[in-house]
Amino acid sequence: MKTINILLYLILILIGKGVVAQEAEDKLRIICFGAHPDDAEYKSGGSAALWAQLGHHVKLVSVTNGDIGHWQMAGGPLAQRRAKESALVAERLGVESEVLDIHDGELLPTLENRKKIVRLIREWNADIVIAHRPWDYHPDHRYTGVLVQDAAFMVTVPFFCPEVPHLTKNPVFLYSSDRFQRPYPFRADIAVSIDDVFEKKVDALMALESQTFEGGALGNADFVQSVPPASEPEFRRAWLREKWDRRASGEANQFRDALITWYGEEAGQNVRHAEAFEICEYGRQPNHREILQLFPFLPQPE
């Protein structure tokens, strides 16, 4: 009898492990690349929070360390400061983060850097990869886009970076939104309401003090004086919230047609805050059903 009970116990453990393994397999894995320790947070932070709330796995990667992204400090101390800020944003969003040790303003689309991006995508076993478009005002943004584009095929090639197992299923590669018009303007293939997590995104971005409250590389003493001080956290948050309300509502208004496509006329018209993404022509090309699977917080068919 005792032997039977032990066997039943072991069977239940194995069944439990199988359920856990199945649940893990059912979870999406998303990796978002930004050029600096704020870009992925700014462009995809709301969507990242939505995925995370449903138990999916999200990683925000800064391809440079941001070590010249401030008007008053630079070098190692700034890089360390920005890495800590980025990690705190990720913690508040419920996701992971990593900052690569490449100097701010010096990113180039080299073979070495292509391999770094390929390894990161493979190690994360990504279903979705998000990055800048490869035309942008900042060279680091452009080259982040180029490097991720260059990885879009190579992640599936067995003998490229063979020390990391290749992906057998190509991820869906997405561009985050921008306002640049040449060679062609951003197209919102997918628009996401972040209304349910907007306050969480604002709370998370509070951690990016060097950028939000000190102005980053283009800040100055006058700007800092214009911002509510750290000693008044409620006013400081209200100031940041107003700024992001304008930005995220501008995104919703700009891509209203896409919101209506995914949420329907009434709900789409009522979305106040949004993030939008364009499907890169490299990588896997998802159909409508697959997009709903990849963005499970979009309205699902009954």
Side-chain angles (χ1 to χ4, degrees), residues 63-88:
V63 183
T64 77
N65 61 17
D67 59 356
I68 62 168
H70 198 279
W71 60 279
Q72 201 175 31
M73 63 184 300
L78 178 59
Q80 292 175 12
R81 181 185 182 192
R82 296 192 68 184
K84 289 178 182 178
E85 290 177 345
S86 183
L88 184 53

Side-chain angles (χ1 to χ4, degrees), residues 8 30 33 53 63-64 73 86 100 103 105 109 136 147 177 199 205 230 246 253 268 275 298:
L8 287 172
I30 301 97
F33 290 95
Q53 283 185 169
V63 183
T64 77
M73 63 184 300
S86 183
L100 303 187
H103 290 303
D136 201 302
L147 286 163
S177 65
E199 303 300 335
L205 296 182
R246 291 195 304 269
N253 291 330
E275 292 173 354
L298 291 174

Side-chain angles (χ1 to χ4, degrees), residues 215-229:
L218 302 182
N220 52 54
D222 289 339
F223 175 82
V224 173
Q225 288 296 318
S226 72
V227 176

